């Protein structure tokens, strides 16, 4: 029996070809690497919350940047102020390089922000002060997706930051619940005395 006619050899060859095909498809359809994205340089002049900063270029033009790939707790949530303060200490007043890939529906730039070569989004995850935002992970380069996912897994296992809390609410779930409470309900005729309700504060976040 020749090598080419050996069923085990043919099966192994088919597996190799399949693996190569999957790899080629993954490369072709992977998101654009940040090195190919647009860049801007400027000073971080404001930290809005744990995943949003404002960068001012030398020309005076300001850009609001939503850190790509993460979702930090909202300011009204537990760990929200801590996430904002952590980002503020690392970024406010520093020179930053932003690799941005587009805008969200609120016209914020979506991108990675680097200060002293440190990826601020990745730093937030490592500190246990943000989630890897898997709902939009397809917008990240493949190596960034892996790095962010691994950082969250490590922070979880070590109980870093918010992962020390056993009763966590992801920010996207918190926002959904908040919005559901803000929806107007159908008016009902009721002759009994109405129970006064304390209005909830307006949302400070747009997403």
């Amino acid at each position: 029996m020749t090598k080419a006619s050996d069923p085990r050899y043919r099966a192994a060859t088919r597996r190799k070809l399949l693996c190569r095909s999957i790899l080629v498809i993954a490369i072709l359809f992977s998101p654009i690497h940040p090195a190919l994205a647009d860049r801007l340089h400027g000073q971080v002049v404001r930290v809005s919350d744990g995943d949003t900063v404002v960068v001012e270029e030398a020309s005076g033009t300001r850009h609001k940047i939503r850190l790509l790939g993460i979702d930090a707790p909202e300011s009204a949530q537990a760990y929200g102020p801590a996430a904002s303060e952590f980002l503020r200490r690392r970024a406010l007043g520093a020179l930053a390089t932003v690799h941005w890939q587009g805008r969200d529906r609120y016209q914020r730039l979506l991108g990675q922000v680097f200060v002293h070569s440190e990826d601020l989004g990745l730093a937030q995850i490592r500190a246990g002060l943000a989630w890897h935002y898997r709902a939009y992970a397809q917008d990240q380069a493949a190596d960034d997706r892996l790095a962010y996912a691994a950082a969250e897994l490590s922070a979880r296992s070590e109980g870093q930051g918010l992962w020390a809390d056993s009763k966590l609410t992801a920010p996207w779930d918190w926002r959904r619940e908040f919005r559901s409470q803000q929806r107007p309900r159908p008016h009902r005729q009721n002759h009994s005395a109405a129970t006064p309700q304390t209005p909830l504060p307006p949302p400070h976040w747009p997403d």
Side-chain angles (χ1 to χ4, degrees):
M1 179 185 296
T2 63
K3 189 176 180 181
S5 62
D6 187 341
R8 289 175 298 180
Y9 175 79
R10 292 203 302 270
T13 301
R14 285 196 296 269
R15 284 195 296 270
K16 289 180 181 179
L17 289 173
L18 179 60
C19 290
R20 289 175 182 173
S21 299
I22 293 173
L23 179 61
V24 169
I25 291 172
I27 293 172
L28 288 175
F29 290 94
S30 62
I32 297 175
H33 192 278
L36 301 178
D38 289 317
R39 294 190 184 191
L40 65 87
H41 304 275
Q43 184 180 35
V44 178
V45 295
R46 181 183 174 191
V47 173
S48 303
D49 53 34
D51 51 37
T52 309
V53 300
V54 176
V55 174
E56 182 177 306
E57 294 183 278
S59 64
T61 303
R62 291 191 173 191
H63 306 275
K64 181 171 279 193
I65 316 294
R66 177 64 161 83
L67 300 186
L68 182 67
I70 75 167
D71 201 5
E74 299 298 337
S75 296
Q77 287 186 269
Y79 297 95
S84 298
E85 181 58 26
F86 181 86
L87 189 58
R88 189 173 292 112
R89 290 199 309 267
R90 265 174 156 69
L92 190 60
L95 295 177
T97 298
V98 182
H99 299 170
W100 63 277
Q101 302 181 20
R103 295 180 183 270
D104 64 9
R105 55 180 172 166
Y106 306 105
Q107 295 306 302
R108 296 175 300 181
L109 296 182
L110 297 169
Q112 289 175 285
V113 180
F114 294 87
V115 170
H116 305 305
S117 300
E118 179 183 47
D119 180 346
L120 296 181
L122 187 58
Q124 289 287 78
I125 296 177
R126 286 174 172 164
L129 293 172
W131 279 256
H132 179 209
Y133 209 172
R134 290 181 176 83
Y136 297 95
Q138 73 277 3
D139 295 331
Q140 295 181 278
D143 54 347
D144 291 324
R145 285 198 301 269
L146 291 173
Y148 281 42
E152 182 182 302
L153 183 61
S154 177
R156 281 174 179 260
S157 64
E158 296 173 6
Q160 292 281 358
L162 57 84
W163 301 115
D165 192 339
S166 60
K167 296 181 180 180
L168 289 172
T169 300
W172 51 87
D173 291 330
W174 190 90
R175 291 190 293 265
R176 187 183 303 114
E177 177 62 22
F178 186 95
R179 288 176 180 132
S180 70
Q181 294 178 12
Q182 300 305 297
R183 291 173 187 153
R185 296 181 180 179
H187 177 71
R188 293 184 179 180
Q189 294 291 336
N190 192 339
H191 297 288
S192 62
T195 302
Q197 300 286 334
T198 301
L200 289 170
H204 65 279
W205 34 263
D207 65 336

